[in-house]
Amino acid sequence: MTPPGIGRLSSVNHTVLGKRFMVVALTFFAIGGFLSMLIRAQLATPNSAFIGPEIYNQIFTMHGTVMMFLFAIPMFEGFVIYMLPKMLGARDMAFPRLTAYGFWCYLFGGTILIVAMLLGAAPDSGWFMYTPLSSKPYTPGINADVWLLGITFVEISAVTAAIEIFVSILKMRAPGMSLARMPLMAWYMLVTSGMMIVGFPPLILGSILLELERAFDLPFFDPTRGGDPLLWQHLFWLFGHPEVYIIFLPAAGALSTIIPVFAQRQILGYRAIIAAIVAMGFLSFGLWVHHMFTVGIPHLALAFFSSASALVAIPTAVQIFAWLGTLASGKPKWDVPMLYVFGFFFVFVIGGLTGVMLAMVPFNTQVHDTHFVVAHLHYVLVGGFVFPMLAGIYHWLPHISGRQSLYKLSIPAFWLIFIGFNLTFFLMHLTGLMGMPRRISTYPSNWGWDWLNLLSSFGSFILTMGFCLVLADLVLQFRFGRYFRRDPWQAQTLEWATPTPPPSYNFAAIPRIDERADGLEPAKIGPLLAGGYGYLGFTRNGDQETMGVDMLTGAPEHVIILPRRTYLPLWTALATASFFLAMLFGLYWLAPFGALLTLILFLIWPANIGQTEDEGLIDIGMGEAAPLDVECPNNVAVLANRCALVMNATLFSSLLFGGLFLLVVAPNWEGLVPIDWPVWLSGLAWILSASAAGASWLARQRNLSGQNAGGFLLAAALGHVAALVMLIVLLTAVPNPTDHARQAVMFALLSFSAIHCGLAALLAGHGFWRLTQGYVSARRQTELVLAWLWNGYAAATMIPALGLATLLAWAGGT
């Protein structure tokens, strides 16, 4: 339970935090919508003096930033955090305190951006922050720094949520719910979270590199010193195009859940939809150059990316035809959620068709950077996310509020939104085809755009009135809606088996699922679970327990003890905020203290988690027994760290790509003099790192055999500390990194390895401390597994890092 008053700040319950995510995201949506009205008011008439170009640049930049980073992704994160455990038959997410930390990072990072806007220091280079416009010479104030640091702060929330969602789906389903029995929403979110794990690091790396250039003059993107502005575009769109599908897939999951309810039959093509989801996830990473057709890409590459951009329409069409087939073969009943489903079909299909048009290089070249692209983007994102979101709100709000909708304002609200949206954005296709560029603050009156822009602006205000009616309708539902017991829609997914509104623990007992989890009878299951019939239908030692299962089969594997509420996530997020604020205001001497305080607080988190004695198998109900999670070698902590390593490896691969890209493509690399590079020192650093990794592996093996592993853990920690010292010495051998991108990349590579040597030493030292405290045994080996993973990773990544650094050092001559 979350206590009242100041105690609310200590909540780690997924139901509470999911609602907080959604409320804050909708608040940012209102801010972004207000900014869009200012944009349309400025463009309503030619030669408008409503707002000047400087303020206009901040407004359209903040509109895109708020909608993409502060609304769309956090909104679906909040929905999934609230709903996913209920759909899967769990009592919470895998790491409740990480959920709370992610929420505070999201709130604080978004607040930085909004406060900067109110103070007139908002970013003004576009939500994509293209260099060199966002570089120091052209944006000398802190405007660009606000974007880089604020968005990176918010991205912490996104990546932590991605890992948590991925792990929760794989490990915290109801017993018996194999992958082949999961509801489609879980499949959509499994692929989406996997895409976030792989797709977000390039943007984080690009933001770090650009901030290093702005703060410390390291020329990664400066073409006069061997950098290249195109590197930013590659890193940004490696994230940016998959993000479109990251936003769309959760909305598609909502549609795949809602449509069968109102069609009154199970969805058609369950396995075909799963294949389409996975295909879309893979294809989305081959499309980033879709946004760069006009920058001078070789023709063969243009053909490849154009084909991939068209090919992604196939898995999208598979899903759309499955939804249409479900409706056609069922007995559809019309209700307000289905109005928004209809709106989705109409709007999103238009956006998909214009997307295929933009995938064709000749057409893309003609309409690039025109309002046609703006119209396409909004048809895809509003059609593919906002309409399904509104359908989901009307479908699931009774679950949150415990009340049914009044529907007095719902229908006129839909038609205002539908008509207003199409009036606003369909006409932008025409202005784009007539040559109107995007991102301009005014235009002359003799080019034929006047009446189209006036009608677009008129439509935007109709659209806004529709959203205001939706807000009023939701408020009235919370105040005057009729109470009900459970499952007002006769749905077939497990979330409706909870009481409504749900209790803090979701299920008094955890069900066993022996059939596909989108064909259940929640009205019958719910009372049985409330009566304690199921797994863990009892309390033990006052612990908050839930089930962990085998990733593939869903067989009961271990019992997870959830942490209690705490203020630690809030304090840790505040410490993280101190680091970003110190960087923002140029107090670079203070930033390391914020980072150190954040690290110390994270180390405090697991202080009281775990067991000091082996428990063996314990009763889980239903005549079965399972061990605790600390005695399971494949528990959620291990899986989460493996996901973190994949994410880290993606960031590292992006850094290697950036270094090689500059070496091969960037200008001003001719005539460089080779650097006198101590190769022997590089080899010594790697030997020390590899020895430390070997010591961590031996520590794990000795622990498994029941022998003392403390000495090998200390050896691993000391080995990586020694490797860290060697890397610091190597950093001093790099000439001034501000002189040329070659030295800047070498500095970044060596710093990456040094940081990871420090992390590896820290994990080995932490394992040694836990061992001395009695939290480690032959059965309880999580700390040693984590030490081995991070020590091995540090040694493995040092090979390409030092190899590329050596190659760059030798680069030179004519």
Side-chain angles (χ1 to χ4, degrees):
M1 295 289 289
T2 297
I6 195 70
R8 294 180 186 275
L9 301 179
S10 66
S11 177
V12 297
N13 184 277
H14 80 101
T15 298
V16 174
L17 292 168
K19 290 190 286 188
R20 288 180 183 174
F21 262 104
M22 289 188 282
V23 169
V24 174
L26 289 173
T27 302
F28 284 127
F29 178 66
I31 294 172
F34 175 73
L35 295 176
S36 70
M37 293 174 66
L38 295 179
I39 293 171
R40 288 314 316 171
Q42 171 68 16
L43 296 177
T45 56
N47 302 309
S48 174
F50 179 62
I51 48 179
E54 291 185 2
I55 298 299
Y56 181 84
N57 286 344
Q58 293 189 23
I59 287 174
F60 88 76
T61 299
M62 283 300 295
H63 168 69
T65 300
V66 167
M67 289 304 197
M68 296 295 282
F69 295 102
L70 302 185
F71 162 63
I73 292 176
M75 182 67 193
F76 86 69
E77 286 175 353
F79 167 75
V80 172
I81 287 168
Y82 174 90
M83 193 62 68
L84 191 62
K86 301 173 180 64
M87 282 189 167
L88 297 178
R91 287 177 174 155
D92 211 310
M93 302 292 283
F95 308 103
R97 294 184 298 181
L98 197 62
T99 308
Y101 173 72
F103 169 75
W104 295 117
C105 287
Y106 164 52
L107 178 62
F108 297 156
T111 301
I112 289 173
L113 286 158
I114 300 303
V115 170
M117 180 180 66
L118 295 176
L119 297 177
D124 54 5
S125 305
W127 71 274
F128 37 80
M129 291 295 288
Y130 279 178
T131 56
L133 182 61
S134 57
S135 299
K136 199 74 170 180
Y138 302 98
T139 308
I142 68 168
N143 303 63
D145 301 296
V146 168
W147 191 96
L148 294 167
L149 294 167
I151 291 302
T152 303
F153 197 3
V154 171
E155 293 302 285
I156 293 175
S157 169
V159 297
T160 55
I163 292 175
E164 180 150 38
I165 292 167
F166 191 82
V167 173
S168 297
I169 292 172
L170 288 179
K171 297 294 294 182
M172 297 183 67
R173 307 189 298 272
M177 189 187 292
S178 64
L179 288 180
R181 292 173 178 168
M182 287 199 308
L184 280 174
M185 174 59 82
W187 271 106
Y188 276 101
M189 287 315 307
L190 182 65
V191 174
T192 301
S193 56
M195 292 172 64
M196 293 170 71
I197 288 171
V198 178
F200 278 52
L203 175 65
I204 295 172
L205 174 70
S207 300
I208 292 171
L209 296 183
L210 184 52
E211 184 58 28
L212 287 174
E213 179 173 301
R214 291 180 55 82
F216 305 110
D217 200 29
L218 272 63
F220 297 105
F221 308 103
D222 182 359
T224 65
R225 292 179 287 165
D228 195 332
L230 282 184
L231 176 60
W232 171 265
Q233 290 197 35
H234 280 292
L235 293 175
F236 183 86
W237 290 116
L238 275 168
F239 148 83
H241 202 88
E243 188 199 23
V244 174
Y245 300 95
I246 288 170
I247 292 172
F248 167 68
L249 284 176
L255 292 170
S256 293
T257 307
I258 294 170
I259 287 174
V261 173
F262 291 93
Q264 303 185 73
R265 61 150 298 155
Q266 278 191 297
I267 195 161
L268 288 180
Y270 174 85
R271 295 182 184 275
I273 290 175
I274 293 172
I277 300 166
V278 175
M280 184 176 286
F282 277 105
L283 287 171
S284 68
F285 286 97
L287 310 182
W288 81 93
V289 179
H290 172 94
H291 299 267
M292 301 171 61
F293 282 167
T294 62
V295 303
I297 302 295
H299 286 183
L300 182 61
L302 289 177
F304 170 80
F305 287 107
S306 177
S307 301
S309 299
L311 190 63
V312 79
I314 295 175
T316 307
V318 168
Q319 297 168 75
I320 290 175
F321 283 117
W323 296 328
L324 291 173
T326 302
L327 289 169
S329 61
K331 298 178 180 178
K333 56 181 180 180
W334 279 96
D335 212 315
V336 171
M338 284 301 294
L339 282 175
Y340 287 100
V341 172
F342 157 76
F344 156 79
F345 280 124
F346 183 89
V347 173
F348 185 75
V349 168
I350 292 177
L353 292 174
T354 57
V356 174
M357 293 166 68
L358 287 169
M360 303 301 110
V361 176
F363 183 81
N364 186 296
T365 304
Q366 293 300 312
V367 300
H368 185 74
D369 270 348
T370 70
H371 269 222
F372 188 93
V373 180
V374 177
H376 159 73
L377 177 71
H378 284 82
Y379 265 81
V380 169
L381 292 182
V382 175
F385 183 76
V386 175
F387 276 92
M389 177 198 76
L390 291 168
I393 285 176
Y394 277 104
H395 178 68
W396 278 295
L397 198 64
H399 193 285
I400 298 173
S401 66
R403 295 172 182 259
Q404 291 178 289
S405 182
L406 299 172
Y407 295 154
K408 299 296 184 183
L409 302 177
S410 310
I411 295 174
F414 165 77
W415 287 111
L416 286 173
I417 291 172
F418 183 77
I419 294 170
F421 172 81
N422 284 286
L423 183 61
T424 301
F425 293 103
F426 186 81
L427 298 181
M428 287 189 190
H429 292 101
L430 304 182
T431 55
L433 291 172
M434 294 169 67
M436 182 173 178
R438 62 199 298 191
R439 310 177 197 120
I440 58 171
S441 61
T442 187
Y443 53 92
S445 60
N446 58 346
W447 287 356
W449 306 338
D450 306 22
W451 68 275
L452 291 171
N453 274 299
L454 182 61
L455 283 176
S456 282
S457 298
F458 180 68
S460 71
F461 282 82
I462 295 176
L463 176 65
T464 303
M465 287 189 288
F467 280 115
C468 289
L469 281 185
V470 169
L471 176 62
D473 192 33
L474 300 184
V475 171
L476 289 174
Q477 175 177 329
F478 272 95
R479 181 66 180 86
F480 299 109
R482 291 179 288 112
Y483 288 103
F484 66 97
R485 290 185 60 82
R486 58 166 58 88
D487 194 16
W489 305 112
Q490 286 76 55
Q492 294 178 302
T493 44
L494 201 53
E495 74 273 17
W496 294 105
T498 68
T500 48
S504 58
Y505 50 83
N506 292 341
F507 301 98
I510 296 174
R512 179 170 185 86
I513 304 299
D514 294 318
E515 57 186 305
R516 243 175 59 188
D518 60 354
L520 306 175
E521 296 183 78
K524 293 183 179 179
I525 296 173
L528 293 174
L529 299 179
Y533 181 77
Y535 292 96
L536 301 178
F538 48 82
T539 59
R540 178 171 31 222
N541 304 324
D543 291 332
Q544 301 168 170
E545 297 178 342
T546 191
M547 288 300 305
V549 299
D550 179 80
M551 289 191 290
L552 296 177
T553 66
E557 191 174 70
H558 57 276
V559 175
I560 298 171
I561 298 179
L562 299 169
R564 300 183 180 278
R565 61 179 180 268
T566 173
Y567 293 99
L568 272 175
L570 173 60
W571 298 129
T572 310
L574 287 171
T576 311
S578 71
F579 168 81
F580 283 100
L581 290 173
M583 290 292 297
L584 180 62
F585 292 111
L587 303 173
Y588 303 125
W589 62 272
L590 188 58
F593 293 100
L596 181 61
L597 179 59
T598 302
L599 182 61
I600 291 171
L601 286 169
F602 269 122
L603 290 174
I604 294 174
W605 281 32
N608 297 319
I609 290 181
Q611 305 285 333
T612 55
E613 294 182 2
D614 293 341
E615 294 283 344
L617 297 178
I618 60 175
D619 178 33
I620 60 173
M622 307 290 286
E624 299 183 43
L628 292 171
D629 55 343
V630 294
E631 297 180 26
C632 178
N634 297 311
N635 58 36
V636 291
V638 173
L639 180 58
N641 275 268
R642 286 175 174 154
C643 293
L645 288 175
V646 171
M647 183 178 292
N648 194 296
T650 305
L651 186 145
F652 179 59
S653 300
S654 302
L655 179 58
L656 295 176
F657 162 78
L660 290 170
F661 178 85
L662 295 180
L663 175 63
V664 174
V665 175
N668 291 315
W669 280 66
E670 300 83 5
L672 293 177
V673 178
I675 298 170
D676 185 16
W677 186 246
V679 178
W680 66 271
L681 197 58
S682 300
L684 178 58
W686 182 79
I687 289 172
L688 288 169
S689 179
S691 300
S696 67
W697 181 82
L698 289 171
R700 184 187 174 194
Q701 297 306 116
R702 285 181 62 85
N703 182 70
L704 283 172
S705 63
Q707 302 177 63
N708 190 294
F712 284 99
L713 284 173
L714 278 180
L718 293 174
H720 263 124
V721 168
L724 172 60
V725 172
M726 296 298 104
L727 290 169
I728 293 173
V729 175
L730 279 172
L731 279 168
T732 63
V734 179
N736 188 353
T738 63
D739 289 343
H740 195 274
R742 172 177 67 164
Q743 292 93 280
V745 172
M746 293 174 65
F747 178 84
L749 289 166
L750 294 173
S751 297
F752 178 92
S753 285
I755 290 170
H756 285 78
C757 283
L759 285 174
L762 189 65
L763 266 293
H766 180 260
F768 175 78
W769 178 78
R770 295 280 287 182
L771 181 65
T772 60
Q773 297 299 304
Y775 287 103
V776 177
S777 71
R779 294 178 62 90
R780 293 172 278 116
Q781 54 176 308
T782 300
E783 287 80 2
L784 298 189
V785 174
L786 301 187
W788 152 239
L789 286 174
W790 285 93
N791 277 261
Y793 177 79
T797 54
M798 194 179 291
I799 298 173
L802 293 176
L804 182 55
T806 303
L807 177 64
L808 292 170
W810 290 346
T814 56

